[in-house]
Amino acid sequence: MGFVGLNSCLFMFQANTTQVHGLDGFLRTLDRRKDPARRERGLITVSNHTCVIDDPLIWGVLPFSYQIDPNNHRFGLGAHDICFTNKVFSTFFSLGQTLPTHRIGHSPHGGLFQPTMIEAVRLMSRQPFTTPYSSATSAPPVDPSISSPDITDPFSSSNHTYTYSTDGVDTFPAPSAYENRRYSWIHIFPEGRVHQHPQKMMRYFKWGIARLILEPDVCPDIVPIWIEGNDQIMHESRQWPRFLPRVNKHCGIWFGDNVGGEGNPIFSELRRKWRELVEEDQKKEGKGFAMGVLSDGLKYGKEAVELREECTRQIRGVVLAVRRKRGLPDEDPKAGLVETWRVEGGKKEGKMEDGSWVGEV
């Protein structure tokens, strides 16, 4: 992580010009979390998504001493079909604290309730979790071939599982099984894809972020971030050599205030309602479920869906607040609605009718 962080720092500040705002406050949040044994809650950072290499570029603004501390660095979600296609890629991205995530448009194993989302919820909670989610997600024997994405943990056993499967076939390490990963930090791009809009508008947010706020045992800290300029480094319309990032660009990163924790009345109330739903569901089912595992009622029930929708709307609002503080005018309220983006039809990438560019991540 230190190697990638150092190169991101050099690229952002030497090859490009980058302004950073609010970093001191964010570093104070990280300083309070330095000792895993003393952490009281997880940390979520959430931002807009302007180019395919926003992560790791944005973490290049952290001092180097923060780059080389994996116990106090972010976990991210990476596309299974891109980042985890063989052992070399799987090892690289796993060491970079990236969780293999199936994209619903590319895999039947994708969606809000896939095993990696269970792992993410557990990372936001008090560890360790060393029991399988279910027989369906217990890791099978590891395929030793280099073409297989499987990587394992040598300490796993039948009683203590330090690995999990995303699809019932592959095998990956389960960081939530380790005590030094208790109340971890996860960064999320809730737009779910790169979005480069001429007026710097965001797409609607997907609901995965809501699971990470509602379901952990305590409400995580939440720090919103606004990113600008990275779209010029890797614009979706770029020509050959398309794989090379561009230089001499002007970038900016704005860190907002921490809006999470039990002191936030909005998220506290949403979590209270969620706990009531869980208690009602347990009475109905006659049993409880492991952390991150949900019954069908908690997955698809009307009240559960409405809670996720409202939580996601609130999270989008706190990112918009940082955008507003940066000095941009308020966007059209309709931009946050799923219905607004249905005009794209089946088009998933390229230039859209509103002039924005969209790319898969």
Side-chain angles (χ1 to χ4, degrees), residues 160-355:
H160 298 284
T161 304
Y162 301 95
T163 57
Y164 75 106
S165 177
T166 69
D167 58 7
V169 177
D170 57 22
T171 301
F172 296 103
S176 68
Y178 290 91
E179 193 168 356
N180 62 352
R181 295 295 192 261
R182 70 193 298 267
Y183 295 130
S184 289
W185 162 21
I186 295 181
H187 181 74
I188 296 289
F189 296 107
E191 291 173 282
R193 59 181 59 186
V194 171
H195 187 229
Q196 301 169 343
H197 196 280
Q199 278 78 50
K200 297 180 171 60
M201 290 170 53
M202 292 188 294
R203 292 171 56 87
Y204 68 94
F205 279 15
K206 298 187 176 182
W207 293 352
I209 183 72
R211 290 201 63 187
L212 302 185
I213 295 171
L214 296 174
E215 295 180 36
D217 50 12
V218 293
C219 185
D221 289 328
I222 304 168
V223 176
I225 300 172
W226 182 256
I227 305 168
E228 283 187 20
N230 288 6
D231 55 325
Q232 299 306 310
I233 292 174
M234 291 288 274
H235 200 277
E236 289 299 309
S237 65
R238 65 191 182 279
Q239 301 298 314
W240 192 90
R242 187 173 172 81
F243 62 92
L244 283 180
R246 277 37 173 181
V247 298
N248 295 321
K249 306 301 180 182
H250 295 277
C251 305
I253 302 174
W254 286 259
F255 290 88
D257 296 329
N258 180 7
V259 297
E262 302 296 347
N264 185 301
I266 295 175
F267 295 119
S268 293
E269 178 63 12
L270 291 172
R271 282 175 51 83
R272 184 191 65 79
K273 292 179 179 179
W274 175 258
R275 288 194 299 271
E276 289 180 353
L277 281 183
V278 172
E279 291 171 1
E280 292 175 5
D281 184 78
Q282 289 176 345
K283 291 178 181 178
K284 180 180 178 181
E285 296 286 336
K287 62 179 180 178
F289 292 88
M291 175 65 72
V293 179
L294 302 177
S295 67
D296 285 347
L298 292 175
K299 288 179 180 179
Y300 311 115
K302 181 175 181 292
E303 291 178 284
V305 169
E306 289 176 348
L307 277 177
R308 290 191 197 98
E309 185 176 18
E310 176 59 19
C311 187
T312 304
R313 188 182 70 83
Q314 294 292 338
I315 282 292
R316 193 175 187 279
V318 301
V319 178
L320 284 176
V322 182
R323 179 184 183 275
R324 189 179 305 114
K325 188 175 181 179
R326 176 259 177 271
L328 294 174
D330 289 342
E331 63 175 25
D332 188 332
K334 293 185 295 184
L337 303 176
V338 176
E339 292 78 9
T340 301
W341 302 99
R342 284 180 178 157
V343 298
E344 296 174 358
K347 191 175 183 181
K348 295 182 178 181
E349 296 184 81
K351 190 173 184 179
M352 302 300 167
E353 292 183 6
D354 64 356

Side-chain angles (χ1 to χ4, degrees), residues 43-267:
L43 168 64
I44 296 174
T45 49
V46 52
S47 72
N48 58 319
H49 201 2
T50 63
C51 86
V52 294
I53 54 173
D54 279 336
D55 190 327
L57 286 187
I58 59 175
W59 309 124
V61 306
L62 299 178
F64 187 66
S65 60
Y66 294 80
Q67 305 280 2
I68 57 176
D69 184 3
N71 291 335
N72 199 24
H73 210 293
R74 67 95 189 93
F75 281 87
L77 305 181
H80 187 286
D81 58 299
I82 296 176
C83 303
F84 297 88
T85 55
N86 57 54
K87 272 189 174 49
V88 175
F89 282 11
S90 291
T91 301
F92 177 82
F93 285 102
S94 292
L95 290 174
Q97 300 191 166
T98 304
L99 302 176
T101 309
H102 291 276
R103 300 182 292 172
I104 199 166
H106 297 261
S107 167
H109 305 290
L112 187 59
F113 307 110
Q114 62 180 291
T116 290
M117 287 305 300
I118 300 176
E119 185 66 18
V121 170
R122 291 184 168 194
L123 282 170
M124 286 283 98
S125 306
R126 185 183 180 90
Q127 283 106 329
F129 297 98
T130 59
T131 56
Y133 316 142
S134 69
S135 58
T137 54
S138 300
V142 174
D143 182 342
S145 66
I146 192 69
S147 61
S148 165
D150 292 3
I151 50 177
T152 189
D153 190 299
F155 302 105
S156 289
S157 69
S158 58
N159 296 321
H160 298 284
T161 304
Y162 301 95
T163 57
Y164 75 106
S165 177
T166 69
D167 58 7
V169 177
D170 57 22
T171 301
F172 296 103
S176 68
Y178 290 91
E179 193 168 356
N180 62 352
R181 295 295 192 261
R182 70 193 298 267
Y183 295 130
S184 289
W185 162 21
I186 295 181
H187 181 74
I188 296 289
F189 296 107
E191 291 173 282
R193 59 181 59 186
V194 171
H195 187 229
Q196 301 169 343
H197 196 280
Q199 278 78 50
K200 297 180 171 60
M201 290 170 53
M202 292 188 294
R203 292 171 56 87
Y204 68 94
F205 279 15
K206 298 187 176 182
W207 293 352
I209 183 72
R211 290 201 63 187
L212 302 185
I213 295 171
L214 296 174
E215 295 180 36
D217 50 12
V218 293
C219 185
D221 289 328
I222 304 168
V223 176
I225 300 172
W226 182 256
I227 305 168
E228 283 187 20
N230 288 6
D231 55 325
Q232 299 306 310
I233 292 174
M234 291 288 274
H235 200 277
E236 289 299 309
S237 65
R238 65 191 182 279
Q239 301 298 314
W240 192 90
R242 187 173 172 81
F243 62 92
L244 283 180
R246 277 37 173 181
V247 298
N248 295 321
K249 306 301 180 182
H250 295 277
C251 305
I253 302 174
W254 286 259
F255 290 88
D257 296 329
N258 180 7
V259 297
E262 302 296 347
N264 185 301
I266 295 175
F267 295 119

